[in-house]
Amino acid sequence: MKKYIYILTAIISLYSCESELELDAPSELTTGGFWDTEEGARTAHTGLFASLRGEAADLWLLGEIRSDVWGGRTYESPSNLALIESSFTQATAPFGGWAGFYTQIHRVNDFLANVPNVEFINESDKDHLLGQAYGLRAFYYYTLLKTWGDVPIILEPLSTVDPNGLSRERSTQSEVMDQIKSDIEASLNAFGSDTTFWEDNRNFWSKAATLALKGDVYIWSGNLMGGGSADFTTAKNALEQIGSIGIGLAPSIDELWGVANEGNNEFIFALQYQRDEASNIYNSFTGRTTEINPQFNADGESMSDFIIAGANRYGPSEKTILLLDDNADDRKNATFIQLYTDDNGGAGYPMYNEPTYFGSILNKFLGRVDATERIFENDVPLYRYADVLLLLAEAKNYLGEDPSGEINQIRQRAYGEDYDPGIHAYVNGTQVANTNAILTERYREFVAEGKRWWDLRRAGDNFVIDNISFLNPGDEYKLLLPISDDMIGRNPLLDQTPGWE
């Protein structure tokens, strides 16, 4: 095994140094025995998820930072203001090199080209691994499509080192979407009737993850790309299958979050973090003891004993704070620890009080304390069952069906024993009213999970413009990112994203 780990490390190192779409051929680097055995294939499989975890920061930024969730008060210098305010230009285009996603796609392509030729002791294991790989490739291309629209499609391992053979044109969004859907079907076909989690671990892709992605993708194509009712029906059918394969809501918010709870049945696919292996990104949502210890929490308790050595680069917007400012909703305290400059005479601040508000600590992924150290090893879900329910609500709403049942499952869990149907239950309304209710519920539920920007985009351009204060009518072209001048210089076949020329 150690031999293959060394080879995998070398391959990853070589990949990471290469320019996007101008890579040396990885397949030429891996033919010397690496793909001859099941052991090598399994090592490569583990590498796919290690490299995906390396994209976590970009996945979060792409899915949430441009939304209305952030941009509020921080007590250290804030990060990524240009993204929050959508104030970048073609010359300062973010995420050069397609955010590194083609490096991940090349790894998957190499895996898909070679693993079918590897002899496995149990062929069903090979099928499961192939189902995972097709699902990952669909996920990467879906992220590229949502971010840039037209993007190059590359499905084979690179077999040339000639730069003229490595430059690719941008394929149309419809072509990219067709490829995503094709990979989703290939993934489901490979999984077949196998609904198990690889090694009983939800940190690997699964059939449930592919079904969740399918629902997500078909709602996007149905609403934004002309797929209409046929696509919404496909999304609904995929999402409805997930609840029958051992996946459901955690009974309470308290049983959902925290390192001790990360193996819960709500998580469908999550990025794994572990001490001495990798830490998640959420230390940047906390702060340093020098700022935090002199403050008080919303209950009027001193923060003098709070253990942290982080940074405070992202602050929730006032809109986010007010949306969560409901003491009966367990998501309020599970999401943020609000800090105040005094204890209000011991009474604290049960409701948000701007004059004495100091800032917030993200509580959802706060890790655990070991002696005098806080370790950020929460697993971070990319899909969980609450997501599935609210995506199902979207599909039903677009089909003219009642989405209130799914919305109310989320609300009932959030309010727990305080849930009062007369006060908290949602009643079916118009399609626009339902869309706004679903968006609001997703806003409350998925803070810091990299969802809000995609949620608004999936609902339609007008919902983005209406909710993002930094965007105005006429800015619709900004919903897709420009590509950098450097990328065009390295690949002359690329055209700039429309509107950014």
Side-chain angles (χ1 to χ4, degrees):
M1 174 66 82
K2 188 174 293 185
K3 164 188 171 185
Y4 294 108
I5 292 173
Y6 290 154
I7 294 172
L8 180 65
T9 301
I11 293 166
I12 290 173
S13 298
L14 285 164
Y15 279 156
S16 65
C17 297
E18 295 154 350
S19 300
E20 291 293 307
L21 298 187
E22 295 187 8
L23 308 179
D24 292 335
S27 57
E28 292 180 357
L29 300 172
T30 60
T31 55
F34 183 77
W35 295 111
D36 290 348
T37 67
E38 179 177 341
E39 185 180 15
R42 286 175 178 269
T43 301
H45 166 256
T46 301
L48 295 180
F49 291 91
S51 59
L52 170 59
R53 185 173 61 191
E55 293 288 348
D58 284 343
L59 289 171
W60 180 81
L61 288 168
L62 290 170
E64 186 159 328
I65 194 63
R66 298 182 66 196
S67 74
D68 41 1
V69 176
W70 305 98
R73 183 179 304 173
T74 61
Y75 35 96
E76 296 180 54
S77 300
S79 295
N80 287 301
L81 284 179
L83 280 172
I84 291 171
E85 298 173 358
S86 290
S87 59
F88 48 83
T89 66
Q90 176 181 337
T92 60
F95 305 104
W98 309 104
F101 288 119
Y102 282 101
T103 297
Q104 313 308 322
I105 288 170
H106 291 314
R107 291 170 177 154
V108 176
N109 288 344
D110 212 22
F111 189 90
L112 289 171
N114 287 285
V115 167
N117 301 319
V118 178
E119 184 177 343
F120 274 61
I121 294 173
N122 187 339
E123 286 295 300
S124 65
D125 286 348
K126 180 197 293 188
D127 292 338
H128 203 294
L129 295 184
L130 291 171
Q132 293 181 54
Y134 279 115
L136 284 178
R137 191 168 70 180
F139 174 78
Y140 285 131
Y141 272 114
Y142 185 41
T143 305
L144 285 164
L145 178 145
K146 293 186 294 182
T147 304
W148 285 280
D150 299 349
V151 296
I153 297 175
I154 302 176
L155 304 177
E156 68 285 343
L158 298 179
S159 58
T160 178
V161 294
D162 179 4
N164 294 324
L166 297 175
S167 296
R168 303 292 178 94
E169 296 178 340
R170 299 173 78 167
S171 298
T172 66
Q173 289 193 53
S174 60
E175 291 170 331
V176 178
M177 180 57 76
D178 286 345
Q179 181 56 48
I180 293 165
K181 291 178 177 178
S182 175
D183 277 345
I184 286 172
E185 293 313 307
S187 174
L188 292 174
N189 288 335
F191 282 123
S193 61
D194 188 349
T195 60
T196 63
F197 292 91
W198 186 254
E199 297 180 351
D200 199 28
N201 188 331
R202 298 179 188 227
N203 302 126
F204 294 111
W205 200 267
S206 63
K207 183 175 183 179
T210 298
L211 289 170
L213 176 64
K214 184 173 183 177
D216 191 345
V217 164
Y218 274 83
I219 293 172
W220 185 285
S221 66
N223 195 39
L224 302 182
M225 300 181 68
S229 294
D231 279 5
F232 299 137
T233 300
T234 299
K236 176 186 171 184
N237 291 339
L239 295 165
E240 286 182 330
Q241 294 179 54
I242 297 172
S244 64
I245 52 180
I247 295 165
L249 290 180
S252 69
I253 296 297
D254 287 342
E255 296 173 76
L256 176 60
W257 300 119
V259 174
N261 296 321
E262 60 193 18
N264 65 76
N265 287 337
E266 183 164 335
F267 283 16
I268 296 171
F269 175 62
L271 301 179
Q272 184 182 47
Y273 295 92
Q274 193 167 345
R275 186 175 191 170
D276 300 325
E277 180 180 301
S279 298
N280 62 45
I281 66 172
Y282 294 104
N283 201 11
S284 294
F285 298 74
T286 58
R288 300 176 297 183
T289 56
T290 51
E291 287 92 11
I292 294 173
N293 286 169
Q295 314 309 324
F296 299 84
N297 67 20
D299 293 328
E301 298 167 339
S302 172
M303 295 293 290
S304 60
D305 295 329
F306 188 77
I307 295 173
I308 196 68
N312 191 252
R313 306 302 188 190
Y314 303 99
S317 65
E318 189 166 65
K319 178 180 179 181
T320 300
I321 294 170
L322 293 173
L323 185 69
L324 289 170
D325 204 19
D326 181 347
N327 291 317
D329 188 334
D330 292 338
R331 293 171 295 192
K332 176 181 178 179
N333 292 330
T335 305
F336 290 109
I337 300 171
Q338 291 183 12
L339 303 179
Y340 291 90
T341 56
D342 61 49
D343 65 355
N344 194 26
Y349 293 94
M351 304 300 289
Y352 172 64
N353 186 65
E354 193 279 332
T356 56
Y357 173 70
F358 181 77
S360 289
I361 299 168
L362 182 67
N363 197 25
K364 187 179 281 187
F365 300 114
L366 198 50
R368 64 180 179 87
V369 172
D370 183 0
T372 60
E373 181 183 7
R374 187 174 293 275
I375 300 118
F376 284 82
E377 60 177 9
N378 297 79
D379 286 0
V380 179
L382 297 188
Y383 282 113
R384 57 185 176 94
Y385 192 61
D387 199 359
V388 169
L389 284 175
L390 291 174
L391 285 170
L392 182 55
E394 290 183 39
K396 286 186 173 183
N397 184 41
Y398 288 127
L399 288 168
E401 301 175 17
D402 182 357
S404 62
E406 287 72 26
I407 296 172
N408 289 333
Q409 285 187 62
I410 301 299
R411 291 189 176 186
Q412 188 166 1
R413 196 263 297 274
Y415 286 97
E417 294 180 355
D418 294 323
Y419 181 75
D420 182 343
I423 299 173
H424 302 123
Y426 180 72
V427 177
N428 187 34
T430 65
Q431 188 174 95
V432 172
N434 290 344
T435 298
N436 280 315
I438 294 166
L439 284 171
T440 297
E441 208 59 44
R442 290 185 65 88
Y443 193 163
R444 292 191 181 103
E445 184 72 21
F446 298 114
V447 168
E449 295 181 56
K451 298 285 184 180
R452 175 66 174 171
W453 175 254
W454 298 144
D455 293 344
L456 292 171
R457 291 274 284 110
R458 193 171 55 251
D461 292 1
N462 57 314
F463 288 94
V464 183
I465 301 298
D466 288 348
N467 281 278
I468 308 302
S469 61
F470 296 107
L471 294 172
N472 301 296
D475 286 339
E476 285 79 6
Y477 74 95
K478 292 185 178 181
L479 305 188
L480 294 175
L481 292 183
I483 57 176
S484 67
D485 293 333
D486 178 64
M487 291 166 66
I488 294 176
R490 287 187 282 110
N491 182 354
L493 296 182
L494 293 177
D495 294 323
Q496 184 56 266
T497 306
W500 290 98
E501 296 88 345

